[in-house]
Amino acid sequence: LVLESDGSTPCKTGAKAIIDEAGKITGTIGGGHVEAQAQRYSIEACGSGRPLVFDVKLDSQDAAGEAPLCGGSMRVLIDPTAATDRASYLHAAEAIDKRGKGVLVTAIRHSGRLHVAARWCAEGQAEDLAGFPGAGAITSTLRSETARLFASAQEPGGMIEALVEPVVAPPRLLIVGGGHIGQALARQGALIGFDVTVLDDRQEFTDAALFPPGVRTISGQIAAGLGASSIDEQSYVVIVTRGHRQDAQALEACIDSPAAYLGMIGSRRKIAMMREEFIANATATPEQFDRVFAPIGLDIAAVTVEEIALSIAAEIIAVRRRGCEGPPPGHMAQR
């Protein structure tokens, strides 16, 4: 478990991997020199049953050698006692399944022999978790959705470090339209860590064989399907149906939703006509329609289906990471 990273590093705070007594690794904390050290220490820790913390400096000056040149540093915890906190990890997994939120607090007490304990804290229950690092640290970390390491002052019982990791369900990507672009975007969405659902009113375009494992498909009436999809602030909606009428139905069903992103494919002429129609019929306000990313995708001169899907995925990433509410710089639409 990466407790802390500084500067340029292959993985950041909160990255983790499982390493067994033979050194076999599942997951990654960056590969190369860092992982080789972690594997070596893990074999030792599995034998002794004792946790340990080690530091790695990635600042070799030998460009021809094997030592890392990134220039940063990492602090890594090896914990062979993690199974004792199984209940906390199960609570975290259950929260993800139910699209809940919370934090895992891994406390490392330095009092001669290291002692490690992980505790689960659901969103809104920070005040109930007694002891270091305190409710403020837990609440701010969950808000930022970025793992952070806190260290207490030296105490009679030894220093305490606490890694607070936000546990948040993957963002949802709801693709309306299971045609070629929808299929390509589902592949992109799965690659970048989204929980992907594809909705289409044509059963043959919701065949699970068309999509990567784990992608959920829904066959049925578009507006009803969107209405039942519980679109929230962690939802990213992409409308790529087979025609103007279906696009309009889909957009009408979700234009007033709190979705983090709402994008629709189409030409500038089509978008302008639909905007005029929605406003004239009081289906949407100008402000609501201007939240729609349409035409959709970043301007990367995309031509092929896969390129178009990539441009949409890139735009979704920009919105998610930049937190913008309207088309970001580089968007295809010229307003």
Side-chain angles (χ1 to χ4, degrees), residues 235-321:
S235 300
Y236 295 72
V237 182
V238 173
I239 299 171
V240 284
T241 75
R242 65 185 182 278
H244 172 82
R245 183 169 63 86
Q246 290 79 14
D247 286 345
Q249 290 174 350
L251 185 60
E252 182 175 353
C254 62
I255 196 166
D256 62 348
S257 74
Y261 172 92
L262 180 54
M264 182 175 65
I265 201 164
S267 67
R268 289 180 176 83
R269 181 174 182 272
K270 166 187 165 178
I271 303 306
M273 292 174 62
M274 194 179 293
R275 183 180 191 274
E276 182 178 346
E277 180 182 335
F278 269 51
I279 294 171
N281 295 337
T283 303
T285 66
E287 292 76 19
Q288 285 177 320
F289 203 98
D290 288 343
R291 284 190 62 234
V292 181
F293 288 73
I296 198 169
L298 293 185
D299 186 2
I300 58 172
V303 175
T304 68
V305 166
E306 294 289 350
E307 290 172 350
I308 293 169
L310 179 61
S311 76
I312 297 171
E315 183 170 77
I316 289 171
I317 292 170
V319 171
R320 183 185 180 200
R321 298 305 185 189

Side-chain angles (χ1 to χ4, degrees), residues 104-326:
L104 275 172
V105 181
T106 302
I108 306 103
R109 182 179 292 276
H110 300 260
S111 54
R113 178 174 175 173
L114 286 186
H115 177 75
V116 181
R119 297 176 292 172
W120 164 251
C121 179
E123 183 180 29
Q125 297 180 356
E127 298 291 346
D128 300 333
L129 194 65
F132 183 76
I138 291 171
T139 302
S140 64
T141 301
L142 185 55
R143 187 182 302 119
S144 69
E145 296 190 7
T146 303
R148 297 173 61 192
L149 181 69
F150 298 87
S152 73
Q154 190 73 29
E155 300 176 357
M159 184 186 79
I160 300 176
E161 292 180 290
L163 177 66
V164 183
E165 299 176 83
V167 176
V168 181
R172 300 171 64 211
L173 175 58
L174 179 57
I175 303 171
V176 188
H180 296 306
I181 292 177
Q183 293 168 33
L185 183 58
R187 293 192 289 271
Q188 293 285 347
L191 284 173
I192 59 178
F194 279 72
D195 182 356
V196 182
T197 298
V198 178
L199 168 65
D200 203 299
D201 57 358
R202 301 164 295 175
Q203 188 170 1
E204 64 269 28
F205 285 92
T206 56
D207 184 346
L210 299 173
F211 304 98
V215 172
R216 182 184 179 212
T217 60
I218 302 173
S219 176
Q221 204 271 335
I222 289 174
L226 282 167
S229 294
S230 302
I231 298 171
D232 58 18
E233 295 85 353
Q234 292 296 311
S235 300
Y236 295 72
V237 182
V238 173
I239 299 171
V240 284
T241 75
R242 65 185 182 278
H244 172 82
R245 183 169 63 86
Q246 290 79 14
D247 286 345
Q249 290 174 350
L251 185 60
E252 182 175 353
C254 62
I255 196 166
D256 62 348
S257 74
Y261 172 92
L262 180 54
M264 182 175 65
I265 201 164
S267 67
R268 289 180 176 83
R269 181 174 182 272
K270 166 187 165 178
I271 303 306
M273 292 174 62
M274 194 179 293
R275 183 180 191 274
E276 182 178 346
E277 180 182 335
F278 269 51
I279 294 171
N281 295 337
T283 303
T285 66
E287 292 76 19
Q288 285 177 320
F289 203 98
D290 288 343
R291 284 190 62 234
V292 181
F293 288 73
I296 198 169
L298 293 185
D299 186 2
I300 58 172
V303 175
T304 68
V305 166
E306 294 289 350
E307 290 172 350
I308 293 169
L310 179 61
S311 76
I312 297 171
E315 183 170 77
I316 289 171
I317 292 170
V319 171
R320 183 185 180 200
R321 298 305 185 189
R322 291 174 176 165
C324 48
E325 297 181 354

Side-chain angles (χ1 to χ4, degrees), residues 29-119:
I29 58 169
H33 180 70
V34 176
E35 228 157 66
Q37 278 193 262
Q39 288 171 291
R40 185 169 67 253
Y41 284 132
S42 293
I43 293 171
E44 296 175 9
C46 285
S48 68
R50 295 184 176 186
L52 63 92
V53 173
F54 70 94
D55 296 289
V56 184
K57 290 192 177 297
L58 311 173
D59 57 359
S60 173
Q61 300 299 312
D62 182 8
E66 296 183 0
L69 304 170
C70 302
S73 61
M74 298 172 69
R75 184 168 173 78
V76 181
L77 168 68
I78 305 293
D79 181 19
T81 69
T84 60
D85 298 312
R86 177 180 174 83
S88 293
Y89 297 119
L90 287 174
H91 283 310
E94 183 180 0
I96 291 174
D97 286 342
K98 295 182 177 180
R99 301 202 64 79
K101 292 183 179 181
V103 297
L104 275 172
V105 181
T106 302
I108 306 103
R109 182 179 292 276
H110 300 260
S111 54
R113 178 174 175 173
L114 286 186
H115 177 75
V116 181
R119 297 176 292 172

